[in-house]
Amino acid sequence: MRTDAEALDIRDVAANWVNAEVLASGIEARIASLADLAHAPLFFGRLDYRTAEPSGTAEPSGTAEPTDTAEPSEPSDTSGHSFYIGRRHVHDADGDPMVVDWRAPVSQPFYRASKKAPHGVALRRRFGYTGGELTAYEDEHLSDQGEAERPSALLQAEIERPRVGPMRDIVATIQPEQDEIVRAGLEGTVCVQGAPGTGKTAVGLHRVAYLLYAHRERLTRTGTLVIGPNDSFLRYIEQVLPALGEVQARQTTVEDLVARPATPVRGVDSAEAARLKGDARMAEVLRRAVRCGVRPLPGEPCVVVRGSRRWRVPAHEIAEVVRELLARDMRYGAARDALPQRIAHAVLLRMEQAGEAPDDRVQDAVARNAAVKAVVKEVWPAVDPAKLVLRLLSDPDFLAEQAEGVLSEDEQRAILWKKPARGVKSAMWSAADVVLVDEAADLVQRTPSLGHVVLDEAQDLSAMQYRAVGRRCSTGSATVLGDLAQGTTPWATESWETALEHLGKPGAVVQELTEGFRVPRDVIAYASRLLPSIAPALTPATSVRESPGDFSVRRAPAAGDGGDALAPMVVDACRAALEREGSVGLIAAASRLPAVTGALKTAGLDFLAPGQETSADARLTLVPATLAKGLEYDYVVLDEPAAIVADEPDVRTGLRRLYVSLTRAVSGLAVVHAEPLPAALAAGPVEGEAPARAATGTGESAGAVSADAASTPAPSGADASTAVHSVDGAVGVRP
């Protein structure tokens, strides 16, 4: 298919060079989307649809169990057919389909069919691969009520496969509740509250891929955007959409989204100042500031000279136009553009009354007249967003005037710059300041809207940041992803309803994912001890992982002579994790990084920085706790939980940061500490936790699972209990 696209000759097809460029661009995008991925098989499943019953026959009464799930009627064109399901559509030389795209309607039953609601499917087959080579397959006979339902061993093996390199897609393992979100319509905004390991990020990315498939023309025209929390996270997820054949979706952070060349971020706010600048009340302060320069009454009438005639528009008539434009609450810039046209219209009315017959060209000429421009400059001066915010944060009197009744005097003092800047270029703009500039810019001129925006880790955004994102999808839709328990900023949202109001999507549906697929059950149970302190309203997550995980909590002995006994234990834990297959993340508080870095270098252990791609030869990554969100590692070594909490401005934010750090593990977690554990974490076992696995001490925890048992790529053998069949190569498989 790629060769055919490369061989297309469009030299004599296009009518002109513009069309030729458009065609060439489309072909280049097509070729890029067909790039081979060595370890991503084109198909991972198969559906055999049952043969339709002859007309007039019906199932005997009483033989089918009642179900609450309504099953759609089987499409007539699928009856008796088999379809291979894959990451993209693949056809043969004659154009006949060989593999059906996972997003196609005929593929949906692969994710949602069950014995109670088979959706017309007789057999569902899953294929297992190792390094791109077919090694096993697993069958479910959905029309055979006598066959017992059992968990998919291949699905479990895929979930537990070691993580090396960037994030991979989950098209082979999407669950019914995830598929429902992925295939939700484009018109509505969806908000997903997802506990750690529930796959919310993957769901959001696959939703982009699905929407680009289902609404290709519309979203190609209006655009899509994926917004992540930081650059490390974006580097981690950047391969998912290209693996699904989608190379057009742009990915960015909120900071880069609102960045402007004239206002580079060089300053840092205090926690209180950042919280106040992110408060929704700042929108009203800025609205007042933008409009404060409007003078409802000009100093003198507007006199327009055309030829030998002079046309006079009285000051009170201009004032009436200004009041009308203010009352309409238009964008400041749009109203300023409308004002000269309204004055010119008043002049044209006088021309018509005098017997002249002016047309639109005359009105445009009058609107450009120097006298009209002078009046507009006087009553409706131009506003530069950056200069406006600069004045607001530098001039106490101006801020007090605009914030009267909105911000208290103490709050005003908190957001004022300690040292006023001389100009826009020399100002020490903070990340929160740039968001204010973006708000002011939108008040002056409307921000263009995209077709769809995916906002990940949304719980950490301030109200003003939500507004900035909402402007980018004001006429489109959004997918909002996050976990209230992982809110690690002082301004983190307390409820999705409030966040969606600020986003401009108050009617969005909020769906909760609580069934985890990544974090081992003992690890998520241990981390859930923190929920009563950080998010008491949330339902604790459960895990479908059959293996409990390799989990231990170890305390370093008391250090003698001021030495650090913790660092050597951390190094030993990293060495033990590296003996197993998969990636290893060492997560530590920022205040502990110098000690941890020194210990690793002394021990001769090489390590990567967050965002650097892991490989078979480089599997250890040193991760500051502040950058751990959204990342995942097969094994995590967590250094000094108390230090992670202490590094944050308040205890709740610190405990949330700790919750994030604890839930980055896929197969194993080792908590190493010298200081006492935070009280919320050291509390008794939570419901469903095996207390013996979280033994505090210097030894290994009981019941650890070996790496081999937790990371089998694809089960082999023909064990009837698992219904998985091995494949010798990729040939000779039963059709």
Side-chain angles (χ1 to χ4, degrees), residues 212-234:
L212 286 170
Y213 172 87
H215 306 277
R216 176 80 59 190
E217 182 177 348
R218 176 176 173 181
L219 290 181
T220 298
R221 184 176 67 254
T222 58
T224 56
L225 181 66
V226 177
I227 303 175
N230 52 58
D231 291 333
S232 297
F233 177 82
L234 294 180

Side-chain angles (χ1 to χ4, degrees), residues 348-483:
L348 260 65
L349 290 178
R350 286 163 171 75
M351 289 181 176
E352 291 172 351
Q353 291 171 356
E356 295 188 16
D359 55 18
D360 291 344
R361 291 174 298 176
V362 175
Q363 179 168 333
D364 290 339
V366 172
R368 295 192 300 269
N369 184 274
V372 175
K373 288 182 177 181
V375 171
V376 172
K377 184 177 181 180
E378 178 188 0
V379 302
W380 208 290
V383 170
D384 182 292
K387 291 181 179 179
L388 179 79
V389 176
L390 176 73
R391 183 184 176 192
L392 201 64
L393 299 178
S394 302
D395 186 340
D397 294 334
F398 182 63
L399 176 61
E401 181 183 350
Q402 308 309 321
E404 183 179 0
V406 179
L407 300 177
S408 68
E409 292 183 3
D410 289 341
E411 289 174 329
Q412 293 174 31
R413 281 193 292 270
I415 66 174
L416 279 169
W417 287 340
K418 304 302 180 186
K419 183 180 179 181
R422 294 181 179 179
V424 171
K425 293 184 179 180
S426 63
M428 298 296 289
W429 298 101
S430 69
D433 296 335
V434 178
V435 177
L436 297 181
V437 175
D438 189 74
E439 177 82 21
D442 183 72
L443 290 168
V444 175
Q445 203 72 42
R446 182 183 297 276
T447 304
S449 175
L450 298 167
H452 191 79
V453 171
V454 173
L455 177 60
D456 204 357
E457 302 295 349
Q459 73 281 344
D460 276 337
L461 269 60
S462 68
M464 296 301 289
Q465 288 175 318
Y466 278 120
R467 291 174 62 89
V469 175
R471 289 191 282 276
R472 271 73 181 183
C473 56
S474 57
T475 60
S477 57
T479 301
V480 182
L481 313 165
D483 180 11

Side-chain angles (χ1 to χ4, degrees), residues 1 11 94 201 332 337 414 441 480 507 524 557 624:
M1 291 169 65
R11 286 175 297 180
D94 297 323
T201 296
Y332 186 89
D337 292 339
V480 182
I524 194 63

Side-chain angles (χ1 to χ4, degrees), residues 124-369:
R124 172 168 55 200
R125 174 173 291 175
R126 301 180 190 273
F127 296 98
Y129 292 87
T130 300
E133 181 180 353
L134 178 64
T135 55
Y137 67 91
E138 178 184 62
D139 288 344
E140 295 174 82
H141 298 86
L142 300 181
S143 59
D144 183 0
Q145 297 299 323
E147 182 183 273
E149 287 196 79
R150 59 175 65 88
S152 169
L154 283 179
L155 189 149
Q156 186 76 17
E158 171 63 21
I159 291 173
E160 298 183 0
R161 183 158 56 95
R163 268 78 170 158
V164 176
M167 181 180 180
R168 57 179 183 257
D169 64 70
I170 61 165
V171 288
T173 60
I174 294 175
Q175 298 302 290
E177 63 273 19
Q178 295 174 326
D179 188 65
E180 184 178 346
I181 297 171
V182 168
R183 296 177 191 264
L186 176 62
E187 301 303 326
T189 290
V190 177
C191 177
V192 181
Q193 159 60 42
T198 54
K200 55 185 177 294
T201 296
V203 165
L205 294 173
H206 287 68
R207 176 158 165 71
V208 171
Y210 172 77
L211 292 176
L212 286 170
Y213 172 87
H215 306 277
R216 176 80 59 190
E217 182 177 348
R218 176 176 173 181
L219 290 181
T220 298
R221 184 176 67 254
T222 58
T224 56
L225 181 66
V226 177
I227 303 175
N230 52 58
D231 291 333
S232 297
F233 177 82
L234 294 180
R235 285 193 292 269
Y236 178 61
I237 68 171
E238 65 183 358
Q239 298 299 324
V240 174
L241 289 173
L244 300 174
E246 301 298 343
V247 295
Q248 299 299 319
R250 188 164 66 96
Q251 300 180 4
T252 188
T253 63
V254 174
E255 288 75 14
D256 290 339
L257 184 69
V258 300
R260 296 171 182 272
T263 56
V265 175
R266 295 182 295 182
V268 178
D269 284 317
S270 66
E272 178 64 10
R275 184 186 67 80
L276 288 170
K277 289 178 181 179
D279 194 296
R281 293 176 295 167
M282 289 300 300
E284 173 61 20
V285 175
L286 287 168
R287 192 190 72 82
R288 293 180 182 181
V290 166
R291 292 174 172 266
C292 72
V294 177
R295 292 182 56 187
L297 185 64
E300 55 186 33
C302 178
V303 180
V304 177
V305 178
R306 283 187 61 81
S308 61
R309 303 292 299 269
R310 294 164 61 90
W311 307 99
R312 182 175 180 274
V313 182
H316 69 84
E317 190 171 334
I318 297 174
E320 184 179 343
V321 172
V322 172
R323 285 193 296 270
E324 181 184 339
L325 290 174
L326 285 172
R328 291 176 62 183
D329 202 25
M330 300 168 60
R331 290 293 194 281
Y332 186 89
R336 190 174 190 273
D337 292 339
L339 180 57
Q341 290 290 337
R342 294 292 299 272
I343 296 174
H345 180 69
V347 172
L348 260 65
L349 290 178
R350 286 163 171 75
M351 289 181 176
E352 291 172 351
Q353 291 171 356
E356 295 188 16
D359 55 18
D360 291 344
R361 291 174 298 176
V362 175
Q363 179 168 333
D364 290 339
V366 172
R368 295 192 300 269
N369 184 274

